[in-house]
């Protein structure tokens, strides 16, 4: 685990974006932890999340021409990431996002910001069943651009409830021959808990959940 990943977990816990307990998911599973990126909802937290996304993007070493933030949650994330890349790494990264409703007046179209040309990295909060990311990939294809990578906050690294035996992220990677990177994964959270030594009961539940639903890595 790298320094920015450890700091991200501490930051998420402090701001109650990452919580431990018992959480009922849409899949019907009961998870021992929950990550709610929607709680990055102030100038201070948005500035901080941008720094973590930028650090993860640099770590991933994706080659890209434009960063793309899918509406709606991806919009503030891609803006914050581009700002942090400029401030922390002196990199002027072009970015854009989509409108949900296509505009037929003014500049028109459904892309706001830099046109989607060349290699594109999608910046979003999470990948679940894959529907939102598939929409982003379709938009990139429609603009004759190339998907170069996907960056999200958390990889839950658990098998999807569709019987495939793969996680939502693994399914996206295989279908699109592209790498999906996350700032942190469930394993990083567990490693952090081990280091702290104060999450004994929560860690036990995390290990049980991973044993039941965790993906099997090669």
């Amino acid at each position: 685990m790298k320094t920015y990943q450890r700091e991200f977990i501490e930051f998420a816990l402090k701001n109650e974006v990452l919580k431990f307990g018992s959480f009922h998911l849409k899949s019907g599973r009961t998870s021992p932890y929950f990550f709610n990126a929607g709680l990055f909802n102030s100038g201070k937290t948005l500035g901080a999340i941008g720094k973590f996304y930028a650090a993860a993007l640099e770590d991933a070493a994706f080659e890209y021409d434009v960063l793309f933030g899918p509406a709606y949650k991806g919009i503030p994330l891609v803006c914050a990431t581009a700002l942090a890349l400029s401030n922390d790494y002196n990199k002027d990264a072009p970015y854009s996002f989509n409108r949900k409703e296509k505009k037929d007046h003014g500049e028109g179209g459904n892309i706001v910001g830099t046109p989607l040309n060349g290699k594109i990295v999608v910046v979003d909060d999470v990948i679940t069943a894959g529907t939102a990311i598939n929409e982003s990939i379709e938009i990139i294809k429609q603009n004759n651009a190339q998907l170069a990578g996907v960056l999200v906050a958390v990889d839950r690294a658990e098998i999807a409830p569709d019987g495939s035996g793969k996680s939502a992220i693994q399914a996206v990677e295989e279908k699109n021959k592209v790498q999906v990177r996350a700032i942190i994964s469930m394993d990083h959270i567990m490693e952090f808990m081990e280091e702290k030594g104060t999450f004994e009961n929560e860690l036990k539940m995390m290990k049980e959940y991973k044993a039941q639903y965790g993906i099997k890595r090669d």
Side-chain angles (χ1 to χ4, degrees), residues 16 23 84 140 185:
E16 298 190 333
F23 304 93
I140 290 165
S185 68

Side-chain angles (χ1 to χ4, degrees), residues 72-126:
Y72 292 100
K73 287 182 180 178
I75 296 174
L77 295 176
V78 76
C79 295
T81 304
L83 273 169
L85 285 167
S86 176
N87 292 335
D88 297 348
Y89 300 95
N90 200 30
K91 290 190 175 181
D92 194 21
Y95 75 92
S96 60
F97 54 89
N98 64 304
R99 292 186 179 94
K100 286 286 189 181
E101 303 298 328
K102 196 165 183 176
K103 214 175 153 191
D104 56 8
H105 60 279
E107 75 275 25
N110 68 338
I111 300 298
V112 181
T114 302
L116 291 176
N117 293 321
K119 297 177 180 177
I120 314 297
V121 167
V122 174
V123 178
D124 209 352
D125 60 343
V126 292

Side-chain angles (χ1 to χ4, degrees), residues 157-159 165-166 170 210-218:
E158 62 184 75
I159 53 174
K166 298 169 189 165
Q170 285 177 321
K210 183 183 177 183
Q212 188 170 2
Y213 298 117
I215 55 172
K216 306 295 182 277
R217 299 191 187 273
D218 295 333

Side-chain angles (χ1 to χ4, degrees), residues 69-198:
Y72 292 100
K73 287 182 180 178
I75 296 174
L77 295 176
V78 76
C79 295
T81 304
L83 273 169
L85 285 167
S86 176
N87 292 335
D88 297 348
Y89 300 95
N90 200 30
K91 290 190 175 181
D92 194 21
Y95 75 92
S96 60
F97 54 89
N98 64 304
R99 292 186 179 94
K100 286 286 189 181
E101 303 298 328
K102 196 165 183 176
K103 214 175 153 191
D104 56 8
H105 60 279
E107 75 275 25
N110 68 338
I111 300 298
V112 181
T114 302
L116 291 176
N117 293 321
K119 297 177 180 177
I120 314 297
V121 167
V122 174
V123 178
D124 209 352
D125 60 343
V126 292
I127 289 179
T128 49
T131 47
I133 189 66
N134 289 336
E135 192 178 308
S136 296
I137 292 164
E138 192 56 38
I139 290 168
I140 290 165
K141 284 180 182 173
Q142 286 169 3
N143 284 270
N144 298 313
Q146 176 191 346
L147 179 67
V150 181
L151 180 64
V152 294
V154 180
D155 178 2
R156 289 185 62 92
E158 62 184 75
I159 53 174
D162 60 5
S164 67
K166 298 169 189 165
S167 72
I169 283 180
Q170 285 177 321
V172 168
E173 287 183 321
E174 286 186 21
K175 182 181 176 185
N176 299 284
K177 305 292 186 285
V178 71
Q179 191 178 16
V180 179
R181 288 287 291 264
I183 303 175
I184 56 167
S185 68
M186 185 180 183
D187 284 341
H188 290 126
I189 297 170
M190 290 169 66
E191 185 181 338
F192 178 88
M193 295 164 89
E194 295 261 18
E195 285 177 1
K196 291 295 177 187
T198 53

Side-chain angles (χ1 to χ4, degrees), residues 12 15-19 34-42 45-46:
N15 288 278
E16 298 190 333
V17 172
L18 174 61
K19 288 183 176 181
F34 190 68
F35 187 92
N36 183 3
L39 293 178
F40 293 124
N41 55 11
S42 70
T45 55
L46 187 60

Side-chain angles (χ1 to χ4, degrees), residues 20-86:
F20 301 118
S22 183
F23 304 93
H24 190 68
L25 306 180
K26 281 183 188 173
S27 62
R29 297 171 184 170
T30 301
S31 173
Y33 75 106
F34 190 68
F35 187 92
N36 183 3
L39 293 178
F40 293 124
N41 55 11
S42 70
K44 186 177 180 180
T45 55
L46 187 60
I49 188 72
K51 287 177 177 289
F52 293 120
Y53 268 90
L57 189 61
E58 288 292 293
D59 193 19
F62 288 133
E63 285 185 23
Y64 62 91
D65 298 300
V66 183
L67 300 177
F68 176 71
Y72 292 100
K73 287 182 180 178
I75 296 174
L77 295 176
V78 76
C79 295
T81 304
L83 273 169
L85 285 167
S86 176

